[in-house]
Amino acid sequence: KLWWIVLFLICAVSAAYLGSTLMERWVPYDDGALAQSAQRVLEGQLPHRDFVEIYTGGLSYWHALAFRCFGMKLSSLRIALFVLFLLWVPAVYYVAGKLAGPWGAGGITLLAVCWSVPIYSASMPSWYNLFFATFGVAALLRYLERPAPQWLFAAGVCGGISFLAKTAGLYFAAGVLLFFLYREQCLAEERNDSSNRKVVYPAVVIAGLCALIAALFALIGRRLDVADFVHFVLPGSALSVFLMVREAGGFRKGSTNRFSSLSQMVTPFTAGFLFPIAFFLLLYIPSHSLGAFFHGTFVLPLRRLADAAERPPGWIALLTAAGGALLTGLVSLLRGRARLLVSALVFLLFLALLAAAIRNDAAQGIAWPLVQGLIPILALAGVLRLFSFASAQSAEARFASQQMFLLLSVCALCSLIQFPFSNETYFCYVAPLAVLSAAALLRPLANPPRLLLGGCMVFMICMGVLLVRPAAALRTAGSAARHAGRVRMELPRAGNVRVSPEMARLYENLAAVVRQHGARGGILAAPDCPEVYFLTGHENPTPDLFEFFEDAGVYEGRLREVLRTKNITVVVLNHGATYSAPYEEILEGMIASRYAGRLHVGPFEVRWIE
């Protein structure tokens, strides 16, 4: 009964917390791209075939359903996100409940919530990657308790749906496959026979793990430096090396039996993963558009990786997080008053750091790496802890080690969602998994420093609410809106989304100018401003949401065709393009003589035929 009471309280608090900020913090081109894709789907267009879908395409159908249910406005997308969030919170609580008691699980869930959607409540596909990774982990934890193929299939379905939201769903699948390798090793230990050691299975596994490490290096590519290695290569590689060391240690079980044991896990999971994807691909078969889907899903995203990036902190983050982890370990060795005193002092130190970070950028440079370096440290500490489990004979210890490895492997691989954009928001796409992994790592401690851990939890919750969320707000709204209030844009398609007064006036004025001069025909808005089409209610005459996905030559030819065949009466030039600034010159050169009328509205220049 207590479990249900705590769950109800956590869900109520989480819903109220997100509900209070659900309609705030918007990035115009994020909401614009999501809304325009959903509108096109609602009008019968097919992602990748009829327009350049920037993600896999499945999320556009979910958003189209939200438009149909709640109206064609930006706020409908956030309601769709809120619905999945309400389902995700109990899943987090379920996973946390396997690692702690009712109140401990409640605290873990609240911490995960504070470092998730409230940071940036746009309906971005990465949130859905997080949601379905958590659903998949919950299904796999259930499988550990009651091994049955339906739980593996359910976890695979979660991974497939995650992939349909964004290809980063593949990271979850990779993490699960690592877990399957570890679980098979545990099963092989339990059922060792007296036969000679077989080498075929170990050779295949070690080769596969080496391929995974090589893939991590290849993902980073030429950008590889200390920071990228620490955050994106080290976690997955550490777990892979751990598996290789165990595999090299020898398991006296036939390769055929081991392959069979592994396939009994991989087969239902893979079937579940492919099921929603195959169903989605049925949309492309009648028009022979599978090639367009695969090109748009796997080839075009490489442009995004090449053209835009933000690096994570390097050794500072790792050393800071390592210091915090080492301090926790040292306190756990203390007893009595010494532990109580040191825990209280550390908690006060954390609070002082938080208070300073809220007011001082230099203190933020200490507080933020303390958190962002957590995932590599968790992976390294987890490997050390898992080696200690290797000598354990009890079934309970083996079970706990599998829970730990599952969470660590999924967290380590899903943390790649931060590449190539490593800022507060992208860290929060995986932060809840890091919270659950930390809980799994701390669970086996015989006498954990509860006061210190409680203080760390309070510090992290306060940091998420008081520091990270405002920092993300400044990043999305701009420093000029630091003290600005939030108002609704007086545009029908904006819905209840609240922005700064300056932003509201900008788009209201822009829509008024477009309406005044574009009544006789269509408009062309570029580069990188999909929100202009959606908010003004005009159709995009091109398949592009972001121009940099196109080759410059192809883009120029398409523009000439559009301007020749379409009745374009207004052109909106975006002089503040984030990614496609070179394409601005192409468009400007083509319209200079014909569109003589002009008016500047913020970063936009409106041109029309006089």
Side-chain angles (χ1 to χ4, degrees), residues 115-116 119 127 130 368 423-432 468:
W115 282 79
S116 65
I119 300 297
W127 291 130
L130 170 63
W368 179 239
N423 56 37
E424 299 93 344
T425 302
Y426 276 82
F427 176 77
C428 290
Y429 290 144
V430 71
V468 179

Side-chain angles (χ1 to χ4, degrees), residues 524 542 555-563 586-587 590:
L524 179 63
T542 77
Y555 176 70
E556 184 174 359
R558 175 173 289 122
L559 276 188
R560 292 188 186 280
E561 181 68 14
V562 167
L563 293 172
I586 297 175
L587 176 57
M590 297 174 64

Side-chain angles (χ1 to χ4, degrees), residues 295-367:
H295 181 268
T297 300
F298 296 107
V299 178
L300 284 185
L302 297 178
R303 288 183 175 269
R304 185 164 60 237
L305 296 181
D307 293 349
E310 187 169 345
R311 293 182 181 276
W315 285 110
I316 295 177
L318 188 65
L319 294 176
T320 306
L326 181 61
L327 182 61
T328 302
L330 292 176
V331 173
S332 66
L333 300 177
L334 300 176
R335 294 292 183 270
R337 292 183 178 180
R339 171 185 282 195
L340 181 63
L341 178 61
V342 173
S343 297
L345 289 175
V346 172
F347 177 57
L348 292 176
L349 177 63
F350 279 160
L351 290 183
L353 175 62
L354 177 62
I358 293 174
R359 298 176 174 83
N360 186 280
D361 291 341
Q364 286 185 25
I366 300 175

Side-chain angles (χ1 to χ4, degrees), residues 568-587:
I568 303 298
T569 56
V570 171
V571 176
V572 179
L573 274 168
N574 179 18
H575 294 302
T578 304
Y579 308 119
S580 308
Y583 294 78
E584 178 187 339
E585 297 180 5
I586 297 175
L587 176 57

Side-chain angles (χ1 to χ4, degrees), residues 8-23:
F8 175 79
L9 292 175
I10 295 301
C11 288
V13 171
S14 300
Y17 180 50
L18 177 58
S20 65
T21 61
L22 182 64
M23 298 300 169

Side-chain angles (χ1 to χ4, degrees), residues 53-119:
E53 166 67 63
I54 59 177
Y55 300 111
T56 315
L59 187 60
S60 295
Y61 283 86
W62 173 246
H63 288 158
L65 177 62
F67 278 167
R68 187 173 292 278
C69 294
F70 307 114
M72 191 173 292
K73 48 192 176 182
L74 295 179
S75 54
S76 298
L77 306 181
R78 302 195 174 211
I79 295 174
L81 178 69
F82 189 68
V83 170
L84 263 294
F85 173 82
L86 293 179
L87 298 176
W88 174 71
V89 173
V92 176
Y93 185 71
Y94 174 83
V95 175
K98 304 298 181 183
L99 311 171
W103 293 110
I108 293 169
T109 305
L110 274 183
L111 177 56
V113 166
C114 289
W115 282 79
S116 65
V117 182
I119 300 297

Side-chain angles (χ1 to χ4, degrees), residues 86-349:
L86 293 179
L87 298 176
W88 174 71
V89 173
V92 176
Y93 185 71
Y94 174 83
V95 175
K98 304 298 181 183
L99 311 171
W103 293 110
I108 293 169
T109 305
L110 274 183
L111 177 56
V113 166
C114 289
W115 282 79
S116 65
V117 182
I119 300 297
Y120 178 45
S121 52
S123 188
M124 301 301 293
S126 299
W127 291 130
Y128 295 89
N129 291 142
L130 170 63
F131 294 164
F132 284 97
T134 308
F135 297 151
V137 166
L140 291 169
L141 288 176
R142 184 63 176 169
Y143 166 76
L144 286 177
E145 294 176 342
R146 297 186 178 182
Q150 60 263 32
W151 295 114
L152 297 173
F153 184 84
V157 170
C158 293
I161 296 174
S162 177
F163 170 80
L164 290 178
K166 188 178 180 180
T167 52
L170 293 173
Y171 300 149
F172 167 73
V176 172
L177 292 178
L178 277 184
F179 162 70
F180 287 158
L181 291 176
Y182 180 69
R183 175 164 170 78
E184 191 284 325
Q185 289 180 345
C186 294
L187 295 175
E189 284 178 330
E190 295 175 6
R191 303 171 186 173
N192 270 342
D193 55 41
S194 58
S195 62
N196 292 329
R197 183 186 172 199
K198 309 300 181 181
V199 298
V200 176
Y201 181 88
V204 172
V205 168
I206 291 174
L209 292 170
C210 289
L212 174 61
I213 295 174
L216 293 176
F217 277 100
L219 175 67
I220 308 305
R222 297 177 181 178
R223 216 190 83 165
L224 181 64
D225 60 9
V226 171
D228 291 319
F229 174 81
V230 166
H231 289 273
F232 305 129
V233 178
L234 179 62
S237 297
L239 293 171
S240 298
V241 170
F242 165 74
L243 291 175
M244 286 191 282
V245 170
R246 277 175 54 85
E247 199 60 50
F251 294 92
R252 295 186 178 277
K253 187 177 180 183
S255 291
T256 301
N257 291 333
R258 297 193 68 189
F259 277 119
S260 175
S261 178
L262 181 63
S263 67
Q264 289 175 14
M265 295 180 284
V266 172
T267 300
F269 176 81
T270 303
F273 187 86
L274 295 177
F275 178 74
I277 298 174
F279 186 78
F280 185 74
L281 291 180
L282 292 176
L283 298 171
Y284 293 84
I285 293 176
S287 58
H288 307 286
S289 303
L290 288 175
F293 171 82
F294 287 107
H295 181 268
T297 300
F298 296 107
V299 178
L300 284 185
L302 297 178
R303 288 183 175 269
R304 185 164 60 237
L305 296 181
D307 293 349
E310 187 169 345
R311 293 182 181 276
W315 285 110
I316 295 177
L318 188 65
L319 294 176
T320 306
L326 181 61
L327 182 61
T328 302
L330 292 176
V331 173
S332 66
L333 300 177
L334 300 176
R335 294 292 183 270
R337 292 183 178 180
R339 171 185 282 195
L340 181 63
L341 178 61
V342 173
S343 297
L345 289 175
V346 172
F347 177 57
L348 292 176
L349 177 63

